Amino acid sequence: MNTLDTPPSGLRGPGIFLAQFMSAEAPFDTLANIAQWAASQGYKAIQLPTSGTQYIDLARAAESQDYCDELKATCAQAGVEISELSTHLQGQLVAVHPAFDALFDDFAPVHLRGQPQARTEWAIEQLKLAARASQRLGLKAHATFSGALLWPYLYPWPQRPAGLVEQGFAELARRWLPILDCFDAAGVDLCYEIHPGEDLHDGASFEQFLEAVDHHPRAAILYDPSHLLLQQMDYLGFIDRYHARIRMFHVKDAEFRPDARSGVYGGYQGWVDRPGRFRSLGDGQIDFKSIFSKLTQYDFSGWAVLEWECCLKDSQQGAAEGAAFIQRHMISKTGKAFDDFASVTADEDSNRRLLGLLR
């Protein structure tokens, strides 16, 4: 990889995740068209879903540098670049509890449905392809889900048998370690979106996984504050605690308004009626000024990527407003202290004199 393929350091943006915009209708039907649309909305990068071949053929990208160069050229011609690839749906299939087999079967190719073992093997191979494709595209991070074996046992009633959680994370680690090694060989961080429905859904569960994979250097976090707010977590303190592992950032808003009928669990209600719901940027409760400040403070190097999910506002309105919202929150980190103008000459003898140690 030449130096031109190495992205600059620091927080970059705005980018946009395309999963919620995929369609058979123009301008969302092809990579060239949606790249032009994203650029027209003010975005500088697009995050590509890899399920299907609508925007990218993952197997081809893993093997062909010419094909990857064509993808980058298509984006560059439109005025954007690829920020990262996503295997959220394939990652989900790396670990599926039997209770969810029927629901998650739709994420797999038709010929694999009803075959859990074959489906898992296919998903693992998809992740390995994504590692090589990311390397050929010159990308440094990749987005995915962890999947879940323990989610049906989230609430400890009835009491969980001793060792169940540890055994679940051991099996999850067994499946993911070869994938993490593949990403390590490719020089790409594998970023798990911390998300309800996944075994990695909060800081405590991420720590258990990290321990199970022996603190693998490529095991990283996709930070999305909306999922933390809906769990009533300290999403700012999360950055303080895990900033060394945060390698990707989804800019998504949310609100939590509990009432006398329901709270975090939502009472089986639809998204509009739940106390916790996702909103378009600026319409929720997330303190993005503090988030961007903290990420800048900790020298986060990556893209600020809009993920539009809102139960009220239309997706195209959310996208049109989102680029400007992210741009307003971008911070160019200062290279000097604000009080440098009043600096004084310093050396060891002067400092000792100021401390009263030289007479």
Side-chain angles (χ1 to χ4, degrees):
M1 190 181 300
N2 61 51
T3 55
L4 294 178
D5 293 321
T6 304
S9 62
L11 185 59
R12 308 174 70 194
I16 184 170
F17 185 32
L18 299 182
Q20 288 81 7
F21 297 90
M22 295 178 72
S23 167
E25 304 295 325
F28 310 111
D29 53 341
T30 68
L31 177 62
N33 284 345
I34 200 167
Q36 291 173 10
W37 169 81
S40 73
Q41 303 300 302
Y43 293 97
K44 299 177 181 178
I46 51 178
Q47 190 177 93
L48 295 185
T50 61
S51 53
T53 58
Q54 185 169 348
Y55 298 149
I56 179 174
D57 183 328
L58 196 55
R60 188 179 174 192
E63 302 302 328
S64 172
Q65 188 61 51
D66 287 343
Y67 175 63
C68 287
D69 291 343
E70 291 171 7
L71 293 174
K72 292 196 292 184
T74 296
C75 293
Q77 186 174 3
V80 297
E81 61 184 281
I82 300 171
S83 62
E84 300 96 1
L85 302 181
S86 152
T87 54
H88 281 85
L89 300 191
Q90 299 99 310
Q92 184 77 65
L93 298 182
V94 169
V96 177
H97 188 279
F100 296 97
D101 265 340
L103 290 173
F104 286 141
D105 246 0
D106 284 347
F107 290 179
V110 174
H111 70 279
L112 294 175
R113 294 174 187 175
Q115 303 178 65
Q117 182 59 39
R119 185 186 62 197
T120 296
E121 292 171 358
W122 171 83
I124 290 171
E125 180 58 26
Q126 285 280 294
L127 267 293
K128 292 179 178 179
L129 292 174
R132 299 200 299 273
S134 295
Q135 182 182 34
R136 290 191 181 278
L137 289 165
L139 307 178
K140 294 301 182 184
H142 180 80
T144 197
F145 279 149
S146 69
L149 300 173
L150 289 165
W151 189 250
Y153 311 107
L154 176 69
Y155 197 81
W157 178 256
Q159 187 182 82
R160 290 188 291 254
L164 178 69
V165 171
E166 291 78 7
Q167 194 168 340
F169 276 101
E171 175 61 22
L172 196 68
R174 185 189 70 79
R175 299 185 189 193
W176 278 105
L177 269 169
I179 302 171
L180 284 162
D181 287 343
C182 189
F183 274 87
D184 194 28
V188 180
D189 293 323
L190 184 53
C191 304
Y192 297 95
E193 182 167 0
I194 305 302
H195 189 292
E198 312 302 318
D199 279 343
L200 276 59
H201 60 273
D202 60 9
S205 54
F206 177 76
E207 288 179 17
Q208 291 182 79
F209 178 73
L210 201 58
E211 184 71 24
V213 296
D214 196 25
H215 298 267
H216 199 288
R218 296 295 177 180
I221 292 172
L222 190 170
Y223 175 74
D224 182 335
S226 68
H227 300 301
L228 308 183
L229 176 75
L230 266 54
Q231 295 180 75
Q232 288 298 276
M233 291 175 59
D234 178 1
Y235 58 84
L236 296 177
F238 188 96
I239 299 175
D240 292 326
R241 181 164 184 144
Y242 300 109
H243 60 87
R245 292 276 176 175
I246 295 174
R247 313 282 169 77
M248 288 180 64
F249 176 26
H250 271 178
V251 190
K252 190 170 75 178
D253 212 342
E255 62 186 359
F256 183 70
R257 303 181 186 279
D259 56 33
R261 295 181 66 238
S262 61
V264 171
Y265 299 113
Y268 297 110
Q269 299 176 99
W271 279 111
V272 171
D273 299 316
R274 293 175 69 90
R277 56 188 190 174
F278 302 122
R279 299 299 308 275
S280 284
L281 290 184
D283 295 342
Q285 298 170 336
I286 302 287
D287 180 1
F288 284 105
K289 286 186 177 180
S290 293
I291 288 174
F292 276 77
S293 294
K294 280 188 177 291
L295 290 175
T296 301
Q297 172 187 340
Y298 289 118
D299 295 316
F300 171 76
S301 183
W303 285 91
V305 176
L306 167 75
E307 182 181 24
W308 173 87
E309 288 183 352
C310 185
C311 56
L312 296 177
K313 185 172 287 184
D314 177 76
S315 60
Q316 293 196 49
Q317 182 183 357
E321 297 172 352
F325 183 93
I326 293 173
Q327 192 63 57
R328 288 197 305 272
H329 286 79
M330 296 293 292
I331 297 172
S332 297
K333 189 170 185 179
T334 181
K336 61 180 182 179
F338 65 88
D339 55 357
D340 278 352
F341 74 96
S343 62
V344 296
T345 301
D347 55 51
E348 185 175 353
D349 285 345
S350 296
N351 290 339
R352 287 178 61 82
R353 185 174 294 105
L354 290 171
L355 291 169
L357 301 178
L358 288 181
R359 300 291 184 177

